Amino acid sequence: MADSALVKKAAAATSPELTEKVIFYFVDHGMQILTAIVLMGIGVFIARWVGNLIHRWLKSRAYDEPVSNLIVKVVKLLIIALIGIMSLGQMGVQITPLIAGIGVAGVGVSLAMQGLLGNLVAGLTIIFSKPFTIGDYIELLGVYGQVTDIALFSTTLLHTDNSLVIVPNRKIVGEILHNYGTIRQLDLTAAVGYGADIALALSQVNTILQQNICVLREPAPVVGIAALNESSIALAIKPWVKVEDFVPTQAAIYQAVIETFRDKKIESPVPRRDVRLLNPLP
């Protein structure tokens, strides 16, 4: 009970002293505090102005909207952080030890987060060098898909089965990258017999491609003889389509080829084998 009373008396004695110190601090540094507040307000205004300026510049350079927004946010945060340090200096806070402490902490964090920093640097490299953009279909490191997101630390690819592949950015930079762009070329084949009318078959394939709305007119489809097999002639059918139409267009063209060849009586190959009996049974 006695100890509790002593604690209460000490708290009661300390409270007025603390209040007086706070009041004296605001009285002595009132102008500095007001200047710091005004400086922070100006800093926020400058950050917004610079952010809008950079956003317009990135838009004129055809950068993707998510990438542009990410760069603008980083620039705004850097400006606000710089103005915040200056404001603390105006309030009487020692800036030099603060900056030194931030530097030491930065070194320690960088050593502990080498992987993340590697992804960050690689992400910035991808954003500014633009080896691919959102919507492109790319293939690297044995993975492939359509680019749906480019972040600072990773890039997201979408497979045709709607599954996602998250690739760390440091795995992308410096590797061999196959960028298909926003269109892909189908590599289809159709087999006809040696007795078939080849000109008619090629003409019907061209008609099928012209009637399919997913097939692009430019670049022009490639149709011709691909190979002469043992019992059939292989026709190459290579139209260009958008990335999102790759799978359904392939199925539609194959179905149309089968139905058209059947209607036009175009000969389909039938595998044949000659069997000779060297020692026939009696």
Side-chain angles (χ1 to χ4, degrees), residues 62-80:
Y63 279 88
D64 296 316
E65 192 66 23
V67 175
S68 300
N69 293 335
L70 183 61
I71 295 174
V72 169
K73 288 180 181 179
V74 171
V75 172
K76 286 183 178 180
L77 288 175
L78 291 176
I79 293 175
I80 292 175

Side-chain angles (χ1 to χ4, degrees), residues 228-272:
L228 301 177
N229 299 321
E230 182 180 353
S231 59
S232 65
I233 300 174
L235 304 182
I237 307 172
K238 297 185 177 183
W240 294 86
V241 296
K242 294 181 179 179
V243 171
E244 55 269 21
D245 297 330
F246 187 81
V247 174
T249 305
Q250 175 175 305
I253 291 175
Y254 271 140
Q255 181 176 350
V257 167
I258 292 173
E259 294 174 352
T260 302
F261 282 12
R262 186 178 297 160
D263 293 340
K264 298 298 181 180
K265 309 300 182 182
I266 297 176
E267 179 187 346
S268 298
V270 178
R272 296 178 180 177

Side-chain angles (χ1 to χ4, degrees), residues 6 14-15 18 24 30 40 45 53 55 57 75 131 136 154 183 208 210 223-224 226 230 238 243 255 259 263 277 282:
L6 290 174
T14 304
S15 181
L18 181 60
F24 286 147
M40 280 299 300
F45 174 78
L53 189 65
H55 188 270
W57 180 78
V75 172
D136 287 351
S154 63
I183 62 174
I208 291 170
Q210 291 173 4
V223 178
E230 182 180 353
K238 297 185 177 183
V243 171
Q255 181 176 350
E259 294 174 352
D263 293 340
L277 299 178

Side-chain angles (χ1 to χ4, degrees), residues 4 17 20 50 62 73 78 109 123 135 143 159 181 199 210 214 246:
S4 178
E17 294 179 0
E20 290 179 2
V50 173
K73 288 180 181 179
L78 291 176
V109 171
V143 298
H159 272 189
Q210 291 173 4
C214 294
F246 187 81

Side-chain angles (χ1 to χ4, degrees), residues 14-131:
T14 304
S15 181
E17 294 179 0
L18 181 60
T19 304
E20 290 179 2
K21 288 182 179 180
V22 172
I23 292 174
F24 286 147
Y25 176 81
F26 279 99
V27 171
D28 293 341
H29 299 83
M31 288 303 299
Q32 291 90 333
I33 295 173
L34 182 60
T35 303
I37 294 174
V38 173
L39 193 61
M40 280 299 300
I42 295 174
V44 172
F45 174 78
I46 292 175
R48 289 180 179 176
W49 180 76
V50 173
N52 292 334
L53 189 65
I54 293 176
H55 188 270
R56 288 196 296 270
W57 180 78
L58 293 173
K59 191 174 182 179
S60 66
R61 294 299 183 96
Y63 279 88
D64 296 316
E65 192 66 23
V67 175
S68 300
N69 293 335
L70 183 61
I71 295 174
V72 169
K73 288 180 181 179
V74 171
V75 172
K76 286 183 178 180
L77 288 175
L78 291 176
I79 293 175
I80 292 175
L82 179 61
I83 299 298
I85 293 175
M86 295 173 61
S87 301
L88 290 176
Q90 288 292 328
M91 294 174 62
V93 178
Q94 294 295 327
I95 300 298
T96 304
L98 179 62
I99 295 176
I102 293 175
V104 173
V107 172
V109 171
S110 63
L111 292 175
M113 304 174 64
Q114 292 182 3
L116 289 177
L117 291 177
N119 286 329
L120 176 61
V121 174
L124 293 174
T125 302
I126 293 171
I127 288 171
F128 286 103
S129 63
K130 299 178 68 174

